[in-house]
Amino acid sequence: MTIETRKSYCRICTAYCALDVDVDVDAGRVRTVRGDATDAVSGGYTCIKGRQLPYQMYGPARLWQSQRRQPDGSFAPIPTAQALDEIADRLGDIIMRHGARAVATYSGNAAFNNSVALPVIRAWHQGIGSPSNYSTLTIDQPAKIIAAVRHGVWGGGGHTFAEADVALSIGNNPIVSSLTLPGGPPGTNPVKSVADAKRRGMRLICIDPRRTELARRADLHLQIHPGEDATLLAGILRVILTEDLYDAAFCAEHTDGLEVLRAAVADFAPDYVAARTRVPAEQMCAAARLFAAGPRGYASSGTGPDMGPHPCLVQHLIASLNTLCGRHNRVGERIPNPGVLSAPLPRPAQAIPRELLPPILSYGRGPASRFRGLRQMFEEMPTTTLAEEILEPGEGQVRALLTVAGNPAVAVPDQRRMVRALDDLELSVCVDVTMTESARRADYVIAARHSFERDDVTEFMDMFYEVPYAHYTEAMVEPEGDTIDEWELFAHLARRMGTSIELPGGPLDVAHPPSKLDVMKLIRPMTRIPFERLRDVDGGCVYDELDVRVDPPLEGMEARLQFAPDGIAEELATVRAEAPDAGGDPFTHRLICRRLGHVLNSVGHEFPQSRAKGHTNPAYMHADDLADLGVTPGDLVEIVSDQDTVIGVAEATDEIRPGVISMAHCWGSAPDTEVDVRETGSPTSRLVPTDRDYDPITGMARMTAIPVRVRRLAVPR
Ligand SMILES: Nc1nc2c(c(=O)[nH]1)N[C@H]1C(S)=C(S)[C@@H](COP(=O)(O)OP(=O)(O)OC[C@H]3O[C@@H](n4cnc5c(=O)[nH]c(N)nc54)[C@H](O)[C@@H]3O)O[C@H]1N2
Ligand SMILES: Nc1nc2c(c(=O)[nH]1)N[C@H]1C(S)=C(S)[C@@H](COP(=O)(O)OP(=O)(O)OC[C@H]3O[C@@H](n4cnc5c(=O)[nH]c(N)nc54)[C@H](O)[C@@H]3O)O[C@H]1N2
Ligand code: SF4
Ligand SMILES: [Mo]
């Protein structure tokens, strides 16, 4: 057996940890992986999920051949090319009968880690004339993009964690989630990054209802009552404004609306904020002063505040906090990471006018949803409306759904309706590496390439790294079985349907598909470092030669950052008028979102080492709550929201306060299989309504701070 070690990176999550991959060249198979200690960013770090990549690739659950549903409901293998021809013909027929809008795509989390899938899918949709392009973006953190558009984008970029004197992290636990957001603690090699920062004296403030792995490392942990981020941030802004701790010169030169914001937060006095958020007033004031003192540092956030109430307001307040304290790079400063794959455009020290932002940074225009007055944003439809768009008859009804690298049956809010919708489709296709809960309900399941069978580049993270880093990987082995890369699948459909895929650099030749590298170049025709150079480097690399400085403001380009764009003062008044959460009946508890280290959403539940860590998503509660309920760890509890009910396995934790339940999502199966909760977990998405309690701009459902009540279930263990 000849083993060759090749460099690549893990694509289970966006940490993109660099790996040394041992390949058995005789068998053409990946054997083992380990962290690449020489990598400048991940430094050898990996997690339990990534170390099981060979199992994901070759384990019994791997799908090697596409499947077609038989009349009796079972699946039989079908050549992928034949399946795609049949699917293309059926899509053509559906478009003829119902119009192009009837054809929808839902791209899941794993699609973001294929470096060309999403742009190709977007262009394919434009080619067939269907706006029905959905992804997890709109059930994740869409509020961040809305805030960037509404508040404004600073051309010179913001401060990074690596150079921060103080960092404020809100509802983000990168130590477990590995999620990196601009200015926040890096999700790649997170333990070391945070330790290094603390060693050089950086102060860390965390706002989280749970004493997370990150919060434990913080100088100040503000243990907020779930869902009260808008109140707390308004309070912090008020302290900074009333104590004159802000960058008045920067604000005078580059912003509008400061006095409106000042008036809008005036009623959020420390005692009021403390009563609502359950963060002691002194602690809130200390956090405000510490953050404002800087002088460098950034306020960043993860999913916590985005899944709660008023997500767009909260993100606006976070953006405003950074601007208020002047945490933007100034003329002549070096931009730590200008983006290796970004176009070499000027980076001026000013706000970029809205009309010059790329289409992905847009909302409120484009086709309207048929529901709740929502519209396309980021050239996508809101995923919280997908089930209704499928189920509700009338013009524009979705009749065919292509699910790419996602698992809507467990991930999308209002699970019962989503599952009903999947079953109602005329044509349901899933593209996946394994048979998922969604795939089991599909007409066709297309066997996808595993990441180790694909060329890819660290596209999604390009702007988020703290240094100009990129990693181009080629496929580790020749693909086995009869699988397909997503972009080739859409090229195949376009060829058969006679439609086009127009990418920024020109049309994709669907009759003679080029190499994946060529597709990357069509998507990004201008990059600071040419793709060929990235390809020719073995492993990840920091392109330190990219010495990009912040340019002076551009002649004739006028735009300012906005503290009080439309709706902000009004929404703050709405928050102020809300009755404080007294935690009374009927909903005694608040269920909050969290991640578990051994799985990624619905991925990895069957990996052996992950299963050994746990095969359910425990309902974590404070010991006092368990005692009150007469429950001991391991007992079953019934968790009821105003939408639905799930069964959970109770577990004790001292990381949260009484009255809070912390529970991971994407577990369990389709409705009515709760008996298996100890083996398969249960889907919190079932508790979440989409037609009430949603954000009016994005349609985002409330997936944290969910009001629930809980009681013991008297069943034998
Ligand atoms: N209640 C509640 N609901 C939530 C959340 C929450 O916090 N609370 N979080 C939300 C968030 S942030 C997200 S992102 C969504 C996740 O929603 P989804 O993305 O729909 O769910 P995942 O489980 O991540 O699905 C990823 C799928 O990709 C497949 N896959 C893995 N690798 C590959 C590959 O290389 N190619 C292909 N084709 N497929 C692959 C996996 O087998 C899996 O089926 O859930 C959302 N739902
Ligand atoms: N191991 C692992 N890694 C993952 C995933 C996974 O499932 N497992 N999922 C991936 C996905 S799809 C995503 S989007 C990212 C998410 O990445 P993160 O956003 O870092 O995810 P979490 O670790 O859930 O951190 C969210 C935090 O918000 C807190 N929180 C909950 N409610 C509130 C609230 O009302 N206010 C505040 N301030 N905080 C609140 C929770 O207690 C939690 O600590 O992780 C990705 N990485
Ligand atoms: S943190 Fe784990 S899952 Fe994410 S890229 Fe690294 S090894 Fe893979
Ligand atoms: Mo996500």
Side-chain angles (χ1 to χ4, degrees), residues 9-19 33 42 45-53 174-178 187-190 597 599-600:
Y9 66 92
C10 175
R11 279 150 274 177
I12 291 183
C13 87
T14 51
Y16 295 161
C17 298
L19 301 173
V33 304
S42 59
Y45 178 87
T46 57
C47 81
I48 182 174
K49 303 181 292 299
R51 293 191 292 270
Q52 294 177 93
L53 276 162
I175 306 267
V176 168
S177 72
S178 293
T188 311
N189 205 0
V599 296
L600 187 116

PDB file of all heavy atoms in Angstrom, residues 9-19 33 42 45-53 174-178 187-190 597 599-600, ligand 3:
ATOM      1  N   TYR A   9      -8.346  20.950   2.644  1.00  0.00           N
ATOM      2  CA  TYR A   9      -8.977  21.543   3.819  1.00  0.00           C
ATOM      3  C   TYR A   9     -10.366  20.989   4.014  1.00  0.00           C
ATOM      4  O   TYR A   9     -10.999  20.499   3.081  1.00  0.00           O
ATOM      5  CB  TYR A   9      -8.977  23.078   3.751  1.00  0.00           C
ATOM      6  CG  TYR A   9      -9.823  23.701   2.667  1.00  0.00           C
ATOM      7  CD1 TYR A   9     -11.150  24.074   2.913  1.00  0.00           C
ATOM      8  CD2 TYR A   9      -9.312  23.942   1.398  1.00  0.00           C
ATOM      9  CE1 TYR A   9     -11.925  24.659   1.925  1.00  0.00           C
ATOM     10  CE2 TYR A   9     -10.078  24.525   0.410  1.00  0.00           C
ATOM     11  CZ  TYR A   9     -11.382  24.891   0.677  1.00  0.00           C
ATOM     12  OH  TYR A   9     -12.144  25.470  -0.301  1.00  0.00           O
ATOM     13  N   CYS A  10     -10.805  21.027   5.273  1.00  0.00           N
ATOM     14  CA  CYS A  10     -12.112  20.467   5.635  1.00  0.00           C
ATOM     15  C   CYS A  10     -13.202  21.437   5.223  1.00  0.00           C
ATOM     16  O   CYS A  10     -13.099  22.644   5.452  1.00  0.00           O
ATOM     17  CB  CYS A  10     -12.157  20.234   7.141  1.00  0.00           C
ATOM     18  SG  CYS A  10     -13.764  19.679   7.726  1.00  0.00           S
ATOM     19  N   ARG A  11     -14.264  20.897   4.633  1.00  0.00           N
ATOM     20  CA  ARG A  11     -15.377  21.747   4.208  1.00  0.00           C
ATOM     21  C   ARG A  11     -16.676  21.389   4.928  1.00  0.00           C
ATOM     22  O   ARG A  11     -17.761  21.613   4.418  1.00  0.00           O
ATOM     23  CB  ARG A  11     -15.540  21.654   2.684  1.00  0.00           C
ATOM     24  CG  ARG A  11     -14.559  22.550   1.933  1.00  0.00           C
ATOM     25  CD  ARG A  11     -14.187  21.999   0.576  1.00  0.00           C
ATOM     26  NE  ARG A  11     -13.074  21.065   0.669  1.00  0.00           N
ATOM     27  CZ  ARG A  11     -12.571  20.383  -0.353  1.00  0.00           C
ATOM     28  NH1 ARG A  11     -13.090  20.523  -1.557  1.00  0.00           N
ATOM     29  NH2 ARG A  11     -11.558  19.548  -0.172  1.00  0.00           N
ATOM     30  N   ILE A  12     -16.549  20.802   6.128  1.00  0.00           N
ATOM     31  CA  ILE A  12     -17.777  20.535   6.890  1.00  0.00           C
ATOM     32  C   ILE A  12     -18.319  21.847   7.437  1.00  0.00           C
ATOM     33  O   ILE A  12     -19.517  22.099   7.417  1.00  0.00           O
ATOM     34  CB  ILE A  12     -17.525  19.501   8.005  1.00  0.00           C
ATOM     35  CG1 ILE A  12     -17.263  18.131   7.373  1.00  0.00           C
ATOM     36  CG2 ILE A  12     -18.726  19.429   8.955  1.00  0.00           C
ATOM     37  CD1 ILE A  12     -17.077  17.006   8.372  1.00  0.00           C
ATOM     38  N   CYS A  13     -17.434  22.690   7.948  1.00  0.00           N
ATOM     39  CA  CYS A  13     -17.902  24.019   8.354  1.00  0.00           C
ATOM     40  C   CYS A  13     -16.969  25.065   7.761  1.00  0.00           C
ATOM     41  O   CYS A  13     -15.986  24.744   7.098  1.00  0.00           O
ATOM     42  CB  CYS A  13     -18.024  24.138   9.870  1.00  0.00           C
ATOM     43  SG  CYS A  13     -16.532  24.640  10.746  1.00  0.00           S
ATOM     44  N   THR A  14     -17.261  26.334   8.008  1.00  0.00           N
ATOM     45  CA  THR A  14     -16.522  27.394   7.335  1.00  0.00           C
ATOM     46  C   THR A  14     -15.191  27.723   8.019  1.00  0.00           C
ATOM     47  O   THR A  14     -14.543  28.692   7.634  1.00  0.00           O
ATOM     48  CB  THR A  14     -17.375  28.666   7.219  1.00  0.00           C
ATOM     49  OG1 THR A  14     -17.895  28.970   8.513  1.00  0.00           O
ATOM     50  CG2 THR A  14     -18.515  28.485   6.242  1.00  0.00           C
ATOM     51  N   ALA A  15     -14.777  26.931   9.011  1.00  0.00           N
ATOM     52  CA  ALA A  15     -13.433  27.142   9.557  1.00  0.00           C
ATOM     53  C   ALA A  15     -12.381  26.740   8.525  1.00  0.00           C
ATOM     54  O   ALA A  15     -11.255  27.231   8.552  1.00  0.00           O
ATOM     55  CB  ALA A  15     -13.245  26.348  10.839  1.00  0.00           C
ATOM     56  N   TYR A  16     -12.741  25.851   7.629  1.00  0.00           N
ATOM     57  CA  TYR A  16     -11.859  25.422   6.539  1.00  0.00           C
ATOM     58  C   TYR A  16     -10.470  25.030   7.057  1.00  0.00           C
ATOM     59  O   TYR A  16      -9.425  25.466   6.530  1.00  0.00           O
ATOM     60  CB  TYR A  16     -11.738  26.515   5.467  1.00  0.00           C
ATOM     61  CG  TYR A  16     -13.041  26.826   4.734  1.00  0.00           C
ATOM     62  CD1 TYR A  16     -13.211  28.010   4.032  1.00  0.00           C
ATOM     63  CD2 TYR A  16     -14.103  25.913   4.738  1.00  0.00           C
ATOM     64  CE1 TYR A  16     -14.392  28.296   3.363  1.00  0.00           C
ATOM     65  CE2 TYR A  16     -15.291  26.195   4.069  1.00  0.00           C
ATOM     66  CZ  TYR A  16     -15.433  27.393   3.389  1.00  0.00           C
ATOM     67  OH  TYR A  16     -16.601  27.672   2.729  1.00  0.00           O
ATOM     68  N   CYS A  17     -10.437  24.216   8.107  1.00  0.00           N
ATOM     69  CA  CYS A  17      -9.166  23.799   8.698  1.00  0.00           C
ATOM     70  C   CYS A  17      -8.295  23.084   7.663  1.00  0.00           C
ATOM     71  O   CYS A  17      -8.759  22.179   6.965  1.00  0.00           O
ATOM     72  CB  CYS A  17      -9.421  22.851   9.866  1.00  0.00           C
ATOM     73  SG  CYS A  17     -10.356  23.626  11.187  1.00  0.00           S
ATOM     74  N   ALA A  18      -7.038  23.483   7.606  1.00  0.00           N
ATOM     75  CA  ALA A  18      -6.102  22.865   6.663  1.00  0.00           C
ATOM     76  C   ALA A  18      -5.738  21.470   7.150  1.00  0.00           C
ATOM     77  O   ALA A  18      -5.534  21.254   8.344  1.00  0.00           O
ATOM     78  CB  ALA A  18      -4.857  23.727   6.529  1.00  0.00           C
ATOM     79  N   LEU A  19      -5.653  20.533   6.210  1.00  0.00           N
ATOM     80  CA  LEU A  19      -5.450  19.129   6.559  1.00  0.00           C
ATOM     81  C   LEU A  19      -4.293  18.523   5.785  1.00  0.00           C
ATOM     82  O   LEU A  19      -4.032  18.906   4.641  1.00  0.00           O
ATOM     83  CB  LEU A  19      -6.710  18.318   6.210  1.00  0.00           C
ATOM     84  CG  LEU A  19      -8.029  18.710   6.865  1.00  0.00           C
ATOM     85  CD1 LEU A  19      -9.167  17.884   6.255  1.00  0.00           C
ATOM     86  CD2 LEU A  19      -7.973  18.508   8.375  1.00  0.00           C
ATOM     87  N   VAL A  33      -7.023  11.712   8.010  1.00  0.00           N
ATOM     88  CA  VAL A  33      -6.721  13.137   7.895  1.00  0.00           C
ATOM     89  C   VAL A  33      -6.208  13.627   9.244  1.00  0.00           C
ATOM     90  O   VAL A  33      -6.559  13.085  10.288  1.00  0.00           O
ATOM     91  CB  VAL A  33      -7.970  13.960   7.502  1.00  0.00           C
ATOM     92  CG1 VAL A  33      -8.578  13.443   6.219  1.00  0.00           C
ATOM     93  CG2 VAL A  33      -9.017  13.964   8.610  1.00  0.00           C
ATOM     94  N   SER A  42      -4.944  27.912  10.450  1.00  0.00           N
ATOM     95  CA  SER A  42      -5.554  26.905  11.323  1.00  0.00           C
ATOM     96  C   SER A  42      -4.529  26.213  12.219  1.00  0.00           C
ATOM     97  O   SER A  42      -4.901  25.611  13.227  1.00  0.00           O
ATOM     98  CB  SER A  42      -6.369  25.889  10.518  1.00  0.00           C
ATOM     99  OG  SER A  42      -5.569  25.241   9.572  1.00  0.00           O
ATOM    100  N   TYR A  45      -5.149  22.861  13.918  1.00  0.00           N
ATOM    101  CA  TYR A  45      -6.422  22.640  14.631  1.00  0.00           C
ATOM    102  C   TYR A  45      -7.402  21.859  13.757  1.00  0.00           C
ATOM    103  O   TYR A  45      -7.527  22.111  12.552  1.00  0.00           O
ATOM    104  CB  TYR A  45      -7.038  24.003  14.997  1.00  0.00           C
ATOM    105  CG  TYR A  45      -8.382  23.904  15.687  1.00  0.00           C
ATOM    106  CD1 TYR A  45      -8.468  23.757  17.062  1.00  0.00           C
ATOM    107  CD2 TYR A  45      -9.568  23.931  14.945  1.00  0.00           C
ATOM    108  CE1 TYR A  45      -9.690  23.661  17.693  1.00  0.00           C
ATOM    109  CE2 TYR A  45     -10.804  23.828  15.568  1.00  0.00           C
ATOM    110  CZ  TYR A  45     -10.861  23.696  16.939  1.00  0.00           C
ATOM    111  OH  TYR A  45     -12.075  23.592  17.560  1.00  0.00           O
ATOM    112  N   THR A  46      -8.089  20.912  14.366  1.00  0.00           N
ATOM    113  CA  THR A  46      -9.233  20.261  13.730  1.00  0.00           C
ATOM    114  C   THR A  46     -10.234  19.973  14.828  1.00  0.00           C
ATOM    115  O   THR A  46      -9.934  20.142  16.009  1.00  0.00           O
ATOM    116  CB  THR A  46      -8.873  18.902  13.082  1.00  0.00           C
ATOM    117  OG1 THR A  46      -8.303  18.076  14.101  1.00  0.00           O
ATOM    118  CG2 THR A  46      -7.922  19.048  11.920  1.00  0.00           C
ATOM    119  N   CYS A  47     -11.415  19.517  14.458  1.00  0.00           N
ATOM    120  CA  CYS A  47     -12.377  19.106  15.479  1.00  0.00           C
ATOM    121  C   CYS A  47     -12.830  17.681  15.193  1.00  0.00           C
ATOM    122  O   CYS A  47     -12.487  17.099  14.161  1.00  0.00           O
ATOM    123  CB  CYS A  47     -13.571  20.066  15.530  1.00  0.00           C
ATOM    124  SG  CYS A  47     -14.792  19.732  14.251  1.00  0.00           S
ATOM    125  N   ILE A  48     -13.634  17.163  16.080  1.00  0.00           N
ATOM    126  CA  ILE A  48     -14.083  15.767  15.984  1.00  0.00           C
ATOM    127  C   ILE A  48     -14.823  15.488  14.674  1.00  0.00           C
ATOM    128  O   ILE A  48     -14.738  14.391  14.126  1.00  0.00           O
ATOM    129  CB  ILE A  48     -14.953  15.431  17.228  1.00  0.00           C
ATOM    130  CG1 ILE A  48     -15.420  13.987  17.215  1.00  0.00           C
ATOM    131  CG2 ILE A  48     -16.152  16.354  17.328  1.00  0.00           C
ATOM    132  CD1 ILE A  48     -16.144  13.563  18.486  1.00  0.00           C
ATOM    133  N   LYS A  49     -15.499  16.488  14.137  1.00  0.00           N
ATOM    134  CA  LYS A  49     -16.245  16.269  12.892  1.00  0.00           C
ATOM    135  C   LYS A  49     -15.283  16.084  11.724  1.00  0.00           C
ATOM    136  O   LYS A  49     -15.381  15.125  10.957  1.00  0.00           O
ATOM    137  CB  LYS A  49     -17.186  17.459  12.611  1.00  0.00           C
ATOM    138  CG  LYS A  49     -18.165  17.734  13.744  1.00  0.00           C
ATOM    139  CD  LYS A  49     -19.091  18.893  13.445  1.00  0.00           C
ATOM    140  CE  LYS A  49     -18.439  20.256  13.395  1.00  0.00           C
ATOM    141  NZ  LYS A  49     -17.784  20.706  14.657  1.00  0.00           N
ATOM    142  N   GLY A  50     -14.343  17.007  11.615  1.00  0.00           N
ATOM    143  CA  GLY A  50     -13.402  16.958  10.498  1.00  0.00           C
ATOM    144  C   GLY A  50     -12.556  15.690  10.519  1.00  0.00           C
ATOM    145  O   GLY A  50     -12.241  15.130   9.471  1.00  0.00           O
ATOM    146  N   ARG A  51     -12.217  15.242  11.709  1.00  0.00           N
ATOM    147  CA  ARG A  51     -11.380  14.038  11.794  1.00  0.00           C
ATOM    148  C   ARG A  51     -12.134  12.805  11.320  1.00  0.00           C
ATOM    149  O   ARG A  51     -11.533  11.756  11.102  1.00  0.00           O
ATOM    150  CB  ARG A  51     -10.840  13.877  13.219  1.00  0.00           C
ATOM    151  CG  ARG A  51      -9.841  14.995  13.595  1.00  0.00           C
ATOM    152  CD  ARG A  51      -9.103  14.707  14.882  1.00  0.00           C
ATOM    153  NE  ARG A  51      -9.942  14.742  16.069  1.00  0.00           N
ATOM    154  CZ  ARG A  51     -10.186  15.828  16.815  1.00  0.00           C
ATOM    155  NH1 ARG A  51      -9.654  16.987  16.479  1.00  0.00           N
ATOM    156  NH2 ARG A  51     -10.958  15.771  17.879  1.00  0.00           N
ATOM    157  N   GLN A  52     -13.444  12.920  11.162  1.00  0.00           N
ATOM    158  CA  GLN A  52     -14.231  11.782  10.664  1.00  0.00           C
ATOM    159  C   GLN A  52     -14.594  11.941   9.182  1.00  0.00           C
ATOM    160  O   GLN A  52     -15.482  11.250   8.677  1.00  0.00           O
ATOM    161  CB  GLN A  52     -15.499  11.612  11.505  1.00  0.00           C
ATOM    162  CG  GLN A  52     -15.181  11.216  12.956  1.00  0.00           C
ATOM    163  CD  GLN A  52     -16.432  11.130  13.801  1.00  0.00           C
ATOM    164  OE1 GLN A  52     -17.035  10.074  13.948  1.00  0.00           O
ATOM    165  NE2 GLN A  52     -16.858  12.268  14.349  1.00  0.00           N
ATOM    166  N   LEU A  53     -13.906  12.831   8.477  1.00  0.00           N
ATOM    167  CA  LEU A  53     -14.198  12.997   7.049  1.00  0.00           C
ATOM    168  C   LEU A  53     -14.124  11.681   6.267  1.00  0.00           C
ATOM    169  O   LEU A  53     -14.984  11.427   5.417  1.00  0.00           O
ATOM    170  CB  LEU A  53     -13.252  14.035   6.436  1.00  0.00           C
ATOM    171  CG  LEU A  53     -13.691  15.502   6.592  1.00  0.00           C
ATOM    172  CD1 LEU A  53     -12.513  16.432   6.368  1.00  0.00           C
ATOM    173  CD2 LEU A  53     -14.830  15.847   5.641  1.00  0.00           C
ATOM    174  N   PRO A 174     -17.714  30.900  18.913  1.00  0.00           N
ATOM    175  CA  PRO A 174     -16.848  30.301  17.893  1.00  0.00           C
ATOM    176  C   PRO A 174     -15.991  29.157  18.407  1.00  0.00           C
ATOM    177  O   PRO A 174     -15.530  28.340  17.620  1.00  0.00           O
ATOM    178  CB  PRO A 174     -15.983  31.479  17.426  1.00  0.00           C
ATOM    179  CG  PRO A 174     -16.045  32.476  18.523  1.00  0.00           C
ATOM    180  CD  PRO A 174     -17.398  32.314  19.154  1.00  0.00           C
ATOM    181  N   ILE A 175     -15.793  29.073  19.721  1.00  0.00           N
ATOM    182  CA  ILE A 175     -14.983  27.975  20.255  1.00  0.00           C
ATOM    183  C   ILE A 175     -15.637  26.644  19.861  1.00  0.00           C
ATOM    184  O   ILE A 175     -14.951  25.659  19.597  1.00  0.00           O
ATOM    185  CB  ILE A 175     -14.875  28.083  21.793  1.00  0.00           C
ATOM    186  CG1 ILE A 175     -14.368  29.472  22.184  1.00  0.00           C
ATOM    187  CG2 ILE A 175     -14.067  26.942  22.393  1.00  0.00           C
ATOM    188  CD1 ILE A 175     -12.916  29.638  22.376  1.00  0.00           C
ATOM    189  N   VAL A 176     -16.965  26.633  19.794  1.00  0.00           N
ATOM    190  CA  VAL A 176     -17.675  25.431  19.373  1.00  0.00           C
ATOM    191  C   VAL A 176     -18.147  25.531  17.919  1.00  0.00           C
ATOM    192  O   VAL A 176     -18.050  24.576  17.159  1.00  0.00           O
ATOM    193  CB  VAL A 176     -18.891  25.168  20.304  1.00  0.00           C
ATOM    194  CG1 VAL A 176     -19.805  24.105  19.717  1.00  0.00           C
ATOM    195  CG2 VAL A 176     -18.399  24.733  21.675  1.00  0.00           C
ATOM    196  N   SER A 177     -18.647  26.697  17.526  1.00  0.00           N
ATOM    197  CA  SER A 177     -19.284  26.795  16.204  1.00  0.00           C
ATOM    198  C   SER A 177     -18.291  27.054  15.082  1.00  0.00           C
ATOM    199  O   SER A 177     -18.601  26.840  13.912  1.00  0.00           O
ATOM    200  CB  SER A 177     -20.312  27.925  16.195  1.00  0.00           C
ATOM    201  OG  SER A 177     -19.663  29.187  16.210  1.00  0.00           O
ATOM    202  N   SER A 178     -17.117  27.579  15.426  1.00  0.00           N
ATOM    203  CA  SER A 178     -16.115  27.938  14.415  1.00  0.00           C
ATOM    204  C   SER A 178     -16.625  28.978  13.430  1.00  0.00           C
ATOM    205  O   SER A 178     -16.109  29.093  12.326  1.00  0.00           O
ATOM    206  CB  SER A 178     -15.638  26.697  13.641  1.00  0.00           C
ATOM    207  OG  SER A 178     -14.934  25.859  14.494  1.00  0.00           O
ATOM    208  N   GLY A 187     -13.132  31.907  14.014  1.00  0.00           N
ATOM    209  CA  GLY A 187     -13.634  30.548  14.215  1.00  0.00           C
ATOM    210  C   GLY A 187     -12.607  29.503  13.825  1.00  0.00           C
ATOM    211  O   GLY A 187     -12.729  28.344  14.190  1.00  0.00           O
ATOM    212  N   THR A 188     -11.597  29.888  13.060  1.00  0.00           N
ATOM    213  CA  THR A 188     -10.534  28.953  12.699  1.00  0.00           C
ATOM    214  C   THR A 188      -9.472  29.012  13.790  1.00  0.00           C
ATOM    215  O   THR A 188      -9.002  30.093  14.133  1.00  0.00           O
ATOM    216  CB  THR A 188      -9.941  29.323  11.325  1.00  0.00           C
ATOM    217  OG1 THR A 188     -10.999  29.517  10.395  1.00  0.00           O
ATOM    218  CG2 THR A 188      -9.042  28.224  10.818  1.00  0.00           C
ATOM    219  N   ASN A 189      -9.143  27.856  14.330  1.00  0.00           N
ATOM    220  CA  ASN A 189      -8.213  27.779  15.470  1.00  0.00           C
ATOM    221  C   ASN A 189      -8.640  28.733  16.593  1.00  0.00           C
ATOM    222  O   ASN A 189      -7.852  29.561  17.063  1.00  0.00           O
ATOM    223  CB  ASN A 189      -6.785  28.095  15.003  1.00  0.00           C
ATOM    224  CG  ASN A 189      -5.743  27.470  15.919  1.00  0.00           C
ATOM    225  OD1 ASN A 189      -6.099  26.804  16.908  1.00  0.00           O
ATOM    226  ND2 ASN A 189      -4.480  27.670  15.605  1.00  0.00           N
ATOM    227  N   PRO A 190      -9.886  28.639  17.027  1.00  0.00           N
ATOM    228  CA  PRO A 190     -10.447  29.667  17.913  1.00  0.00           C
ATOM    229  C   PRO A 190      -9.823  29.700  19.304  1.00  0.00           C
ATOM    230  O   PRO A 190      -9.616  30.785  19.857  1.00  0.00           O
ATOM    231  CB  PRO A 190     -11.929  29.282  18.000  1.00  0.00           C
ATOM    232  CG  PRO A 190     -11.976  27.815  17.696  1.00  0.00           C
ATOM    233  CD  PRO A 190     -10.864  27.582  16.712  1.00  0.00           C
ATOM    234  N   GLY A 597     -20.767  20.539  19.640  1.00  0.00           N
ATOM    235  CA  GLY A 597     -19.472  20.414  18.972  1.00  0.00           C
ATOM    236  C   GLY A 597     -19.327  19.207  18.067  1.00  0.00           C
ATOM    237  O   GLY A 597     -18.574  19.251  17.100  1.00  0.00           O
ATOM    238  N   VAL A 599     -21.548  17.654  16.082  1.00  0.00           N
ATOM    239  CA  VAL A 599     -22.336  17.575  14.850  1.00  0.00           C
ATOM    240  C   VAL A 599     -22.415  18.963  14.226  1.00  0.00           C
ATOM    241  O   VAL A 599     -22.125  19.965  14.873  1.00  0.00           O
ATOM    242  CB  VAL A 599     -23.770  17.072  15.118  1.00  0.00           C
ATOM    243  CG1 VAL A 599     -23.763  15.647  15.643  1.00  0.00           C
ATOM    244  CG2 VAL A 599     -24.497  18.008  16.078  1.00  0.00           C
ATOM    245  N   LEU A 600     -22.803  19.013  12.958  1.00  0.00           N
ATOM    246  CA  LEU A 600     -23.060  20.300  12.318  1.00  0.00           C
ATOM    247  C   LEU A 600     -24.488  20.266  11.780  1.00  0.00           C
ATOM    248  O   LEU A 600     -24.761  19.597  10.803  1.00  0.00           O
ATOM    249  CB  LEU A 600     -22.080  20.569  11.185  1.00  0.00           C
ATOM    250  CG  LEU A 600     -22.267  21.989  10.652  1.00  0.00           C
ATOM    251  CD1 LEU A 600     -21.038  22.835  10.886  1.00  0.00           C
ATOM    252  CD2 LEU A 600     -22.654  21.994   9.204  1.00  0.00           C
TER     253      LEU A 600
HETATM  254  S1  SF4 B   3     -13.795  23.108  12.783  1.00  0.00           S
HETATM  255 FE1  SF4 B   3     -14.084  20.915  12.425  1.00  0.00          FE
HETATM  256  S2  SF4 B   3     -15.750  20.769  10.931  1.00  0.00           S
HETATM  257 FE2  SF4 B   3     -15.026  22.895  10.905  1.00  0.00          FE
HETATM  258  S3  SF4 B   3     -13.518  22.919   9.239  1.00  0.00           S
HETATM  259 FE3  SF4 B   3     -12.369  22.509  11.153  1.00  0.00          FE
HETATM  260  S4  SF4 B   3     -12.259  20.275  11.273  1.00  0.00           S
HETATM  261 FE4  SF4 B   3     -13.842  20.780   9.777  1.00  0.00          FE
END
